[in-house]
Amino acid sequence: MKMERDSKDKVEYSAGVCCVMASITIGISTIIISEHHDIAAGVLIFVAQLLIFAASVFHLNYKLGNYGQTSNSKNCNNQE
């Protein structure tokens, strides 16, 4: 069975949506279940990894620890 482009995209986007839903569910359930209503570090890292995977599926550009303008917008300002 050969996978076509349309079916590949459906599987890819379904995985991204499932990761977003799972990260929300895990985060909320961890807060509810814990005695002190906090999130453990391991769970927080797992939720972050799920969200980073979902962002890459949806082709969102993200930068960890680097906020502000991108290098392309800085180059455009210098050329004017």
Side-chain angles (χ1 to χ4, degrees):
M1 181 176 168
K2 188 173 182 180
M3 183 177 277
E4 296 177 11
R5 176 75 177 178
D6 185 44
S7 59
K8 177 194 165 287
D9 289 341
K10 287 180 184 177
V11 170
E12 194 174 73
Y13 291 134
S14 298
V17 169
C18 286
C19 283
V20 169
M21 291 173 54
S23 64
I24 292 170
T25 304
I26 290 169
I28 291 173
S29 63
T30 301
I31 293 172
I32 292 172
I33 291 173
S34 71
E35 292 180 9
H36 303 290
H37 300 292
D38 59 350
I39 299 177
V43 175
L44 191 61
I45 291 170
F46 181 66
V47 167
Q49 291 297 320
L50 284 174
L51 292 174
I52 287 173
F53 172 75
S56 67
V57 166
F58 294 121
H59 305 290
L60 298 176
N61 294 328
Y62 56 90
K63 293 182 179 182
L64 298 176
N66 187 9
Y67 300 104
Q69 294 180 337
T70 61
S71 61
N72 290 339
S73 60
K74 288 179 184 176
N75 291 340
C76 291
N77 291 337
N78 292 337
Q79 292 175 355
E80 293 177 357

